[in-house]
Amino acid sequence: MADEPIMNMMPRWKGGWGIQTIFEHRTERDLLLGERIANKGFGEEVNIIHLEGVYTWEKAIRLTAKLPYVINARREMPAALGGTQYDKGIGDLTLALPLKKYFNLDGRSGSWSFKPMLRVPLSGEDEYELYDNEWGTGLGLSYEFETFRWFFFMGTSGWIYHDNEPFESHSSLDVGYNFEALGSNGSILWETDFHYEDDGSETLLAGPAFYWNIDDLKHLRLEWKHDFHDRQGVLDHGNGDTFKLSIGWVY
Amino acid sequence: MKTSWSCLAGLSLLVGTCFLHAAPKEYPEAKPEVRTKAATAILQKEKEIALLYVKGLCCPSCAIGVRSKLSRLKYVDKKRFKRGVDMNAETQLVTLALKTGQVIDPLRVEKEVDDAGYIAIEWYTFEDANLKAHPFPGQKP
């Protein structure tokens, strides 16, 4: 949720723009209440396409838009709570205005970011909804730097919704190793995310990611994250894995 | 429990960020003597080029804008290198392939590099068997 197109990096240049598509596959194995498995074997499976875009006015000012489309989502609930339910269709739009302060040192470059965000409710009325369908406002702060060989990112963001949804925060810590091969470059990363919601839900998920610069225009990213700690403040699914495949084009 | 988790995560991020930002700012691959040696080798090997030191250029993907902006300059020969621009993230040296008899416009090059998010520090020539550094206008005292 905290990631931004294109691959969190580009375009850094004035007048640059890009689009990115992400295919996300998520499976949750259990229905949790707190850390306790309330209903074992009641799973959830979700497939989403995220369409994202970015425009960089000045090198310090970007505008990003992220729109998810739920290809299909299916969750199993006890019969008394509706049984098996489905979701499909457009999700909520997220607009952000990342403001960046870059620094360039001898052998190290990076930025501090301040990111106001807006959530626009667009999701529909299915048997259940992956997205909240509520207006929300958020704020993100992050710091990142890169050397020839190493990449480091840490960031945190908070969201307040204008109706019933609880406050939520997302924090990330990413470390990467840069390599060169076949006349291009890439990174191998380890990413750790912590999600918290004011209803007592907490998820710590982490896993590897791989980024490859196909050429100046096309960029590829693969990632897998596993839930190492999951706690749901209200009855909800957890203990899962998330896979993402991203392709971005930048101009 | 919930509050302590959040406070711990927030505090770790804050302390970690300050610690890392204060970390040593020199890296072996970016030392001036390494860059000087690399610049000398490039200038002895390549003809009709301009060789620039672009500070901070250590991420090839983030620096795509440097190539994008510089390759549009009329005196850059796009048939050589990759669209006329070769970038080395290890030494932070950028090599521009120039059309025959052409020279760079330092003011314009400096602006394009700045728009791409980096700092053009100096460019190099090889004169009397010595490497000579020419600071870009914005870098002059």
Side-chain angles (χ1 to χ4, degrees):
Chain A
M1 183 173 274
D3 291 342
E4 290 291 347
I6 304 292
M7 317 298 174
N8 278 329
M9 291 189 282
M10 298 162 278
R12 179 169 172 161
W13 51 97
K14 181 180 178 181
W17 62 278
I19 53 173
Q20 181 174 348
T21 59
I22 304 167
F23 172 71
E24 176 182 353
H25 173 73
R26 191 167 76 235
T27 53
E28 309 276 11
R29 289 187 300 277
D30 300 311
L31 195 52
L32 302 177
L33 184 58
E35 291 180 53
R36 186 175 61 86
I37 298 173
N39 298 81
K40 193 171 177 62
F42 281 68
E44 181 178 30
E45 184 170 328
V46 173
N47 293 295
I48 307 172
I49 285 278
H50 301 265
L51 301 172
E52 304 186 349
V54 56
Y55 179 73
T56 303
W57 264 291
E58 296 289 335
K59 59 191 178 188
I61 307 172
R62 293 184 195 181
L63 175 66
T64 65
K66 301 193 282 190
L67 184 65
Y69 182 85
V70 181
I71 301 167
N72 54 58
R74 174 184 181 274
R75 73 173 183 184
E76 296 162 335
M77 299 291 279
L81 295 172
T84 302
Q85 299 169 327
Y86 299 88
D87 182 23
K88 192 174 181 179
I90 205 163
D92 295 336
L93 174 70
T94 303
L95 299 171
L97 189 71
L99 305 173
K100 289 181 168 284
K101 172 68 179 168
Y102 285 104
F103 57 88
N104 287 299
L105 307 171
D106 199 356
R108 182 159 66 137
S109 182
S111 66
W112 300 85
S113 298
F114 174 83
K115 185 171 67 171
M117 298 178 284
L118 178 69
R119 181 72 46 80
V120 181
L122 294 177
S123 58
E125 299 286 331
D126 283 304
E127 291 172 340
Y128 86 109
E129 290 298 331
L130 281 178
Y131 292 90
D132 301 324
N133 202 20
E134 279 186 22
W135 285 94
T137 46
L139 192 62
L141 298 169
S142 65
Y143 169 78
E144 65 183 303
F145 77 82
E146 193 151 0
T147 69
F148 174 57
R149 282 289 172 228
W150 299 99
F151 170 80
F152 178 85
F153 171 91
M154 57 170 47
T156 189
S157 62
W159 281 96
I160 294 171
Y161 293 97
H162 294 194
D163 207 345
N164 299 318
E165 290 298 320
F167 166 83
E168 60 184 66
S169 75
H170 306 267
S171 300
S172 301
L173 179 68
D174 303 342
V175 180
Y177 176 79
N178 301 327
F179 64 90
E180 291 176 279
L182 304 172
S184 189
N185 67 287
S187 307
I188 298 167
L189 304 105
W190 183 266
E191 302 185 328
T192 306
D193 294 346
F194 180 66
H195 298 179
Y196 166 77
E197 292 185 27
D198 209 16
D199 62 4
S201 301
E202 300 165 350
T203 307
L204 177 71
L205 57 164
F210 173 79
Y211 159 74
W212 181 249
N213 176 344
I214 301 170
D215 58 35
D216 281 2
L217 296 182
K218 300 182 285 293
H219 304 264
L220 175 77
R221 194 178 208 274
L222 292 163
E223 66 178 74
W224 165 41
K225 284 200 178 77
H226 177 73
D227 293 354
F228 285 94
H229 165 75
D230 216 339
R231 183 184 196 285
Q232 296 296 338
V234 295
L235 190 68
D236 205 349
H237 292 82
N239 292 340
D241 292 274
T242 304
F243 299 89
K244 285 182 182 175
L245 167 65
S246 311
I247 301 176
W249 293 264
V250 69
Y251 301 91
Chain B
M1 179 65 180
K2 288 180 288 182
T3 309
S4 59
W5 261 107
S6 297
C7 288
L8 186 64
L11 193 64
S12 302
L13 286 172
L14 185 65
V15 172
T17 301
C18 294
F19 176 75
L20 281 157
H21 193 65
K25 294 175 175 58
E26 281 192 7
Y27 294 84
E29 61 268 26
K31 278 185 176 170
E33 53 268 32
V34 174
R35 189 161 43 249
T36 299
K37 192 176 173 185
T40 303
I42 293 168
L43 285 166
Q44 286 177 327
K45 181 184 168 196
E46 300 284 352
K47 302 297 175 200
E48 305 280 0
I49 62 162
L51 187 61
L52 327 172
Y53 164 34
V54 176
K55 195 174 185 179
L57 193 150
C58 42
C59 163
S61 295
C62 309
I64 287 169
V66 172
R67 176 180 287 115
S68 169
K69 301 252 175 220
L70 293 179
S71 68
R72 286 193 298 222
L73 298 173
K74 61 184 180 187
Y75 41 81
V76 171
D77 182 359
K78 295 175 192 59
K79 292 172 191 155
R80 293 161 60 199
F81 303 139
K82 198 170 178 179
R83 288 192 287 151
V85 182
D86 182 62
M87 301 189 293
N88 188 321
E90 189 172 11
T91 59
Q92 303 171 86
L93 290 172
V94 173
T95 310
L96 295 185
L98 298 178
K99 291 175 181 170
T100 306
Q102 299 281 302
V103 293
I104 61 164
D105 168 3
L107 265 177
R108 179 74 190 275
V109 168
E110 187 174 33
K111 183 184 181 310
E112 298 296 350
V113 171
D114 182 67
D115 283 348
Y118 294 91
I119 307 169
I121 300 292
E122 57 195 16
W123 81 97
Y124 304 101
T125 53
F126 203 60
E127 298 174 13
D128 302 325
N130 289 309
L131 188 73
K132 187 172 180 186
H134 309 268
F136 278 97
Q139 302 303 317
K140 286 181 178 171

